[in-house]
Amino acid sequence: MTPVSWPRVLLSGMIAGIVINSSEYLLDSFVFVKQWEEAIKTLNKPYFSMTTIIGSLQILGFAAGIITLRRYAAKSGSKKPLPTALFGWILTYAPFCVALIVLKLIPVPLAVIVAASGLIELVGGASLGCWIFEEIRAAALRAASGSDLQEQYVSD
């Protein structure tokens, strides 16, 4: 198994999380706001607010980004963002949505929307995160090889 560079994983995973969270915010605050409000009303709990839900989903977004990029960093052989994103979605969004359905916290159609949008967000976030990860890796390799060249010229 390839050693994992945690600083690269965290940085690129957080960037993927920003993409995921930006999309979540736009969808939950503007597109699906009525569905969320109806779901909250059916819970009959006054302390639930859109801020609480969006905050929870923001944590999930960053976790999904970091988990996905951790998998990308550790995977040997061909590295592609789509299978990596699917893996991250299976570990984060799928159980979250199943739990929401089983606990009857939100209606099934809203859970399906959350799951589907989560997969799309994760593919976008993973694509950018994987690209950033590779760019950081390439920069580190260039820096390492550049310092070796400088030492060679100095010793000559």
Side-chain angles (χ1 to χ4, degrees):
M1 186 171 239
T2 310
V4 175
S5 170
W6 279 104
R8 280 196 296 257
V9 167
L10 292 175
L11 178 62
S12 54
M14 294 297 277
I15 291 170
I18 290 170
V19 170
I20 294 165
N21 289 336
S22 299
S23 176
E24 283 285 339
Y25 175 76
L26 292 173
L27 287 174
D28 295 337
S29 296
F30 301 107
V31 179
F32 301 116
V33 69
K34 298 274 190 226
Q35 290 91 333
W36 278 112
E37 286 174 356
E38 290 172 16
I40 293 168
K41 285 179 188 173
T42 61
L43 289 174
N44 218 9
K45 302 220 182 242
Y47 60 88
F48 274 96
S49 67
M50 284 307 294
T51 306
T52 304
I53 291 172
I54 291 172
S56 301
L57 293 175
Q58 298 294 308
I59 293 168
L60 178 66
F62 281 119
I66 293 169
I67 288 169
T68 300
L69 267 295
R70 166 63 175 93
R71 170 70 174 173
Y72 180 81
K75 190 174 177 191
S76 59
S78 154
K79 292 184 180 184
K80 304 216 186 248
L82 187 58
T84 303
L86 185 60
F87 176 83
W89 181 82
I90 289 170
L91 287 181
T92 55
Y93 279 88
F96 177 71
C97 291
V98 168
L100 290 175
I101 292 169
V102 170
L103 296 172
K104 298 182 184 199
L105 294 176
I106 64 173
V108 174
L110 185 56
V112 170
I113 289 170
V114 170
S117 65
L119 182 57
I120 294 167
E121 295 160 0
L122 204 47
V123 168
S127 296
L128 180 61
C130 292
W131 180 76
I132 295 288
F133 185 89
E134 290 301 326
E135 288 297 313
I136 295 170
R137 179 190 310 216
L141 289 173
R142 281 193 305 270
S145 66
S147 63
D148 291 342
L149 289 175
Q150 286 177 342
E151 289 175 12
Q152 182 181 12
Y153 287 122
V154 171
S155 65
D156 288 341

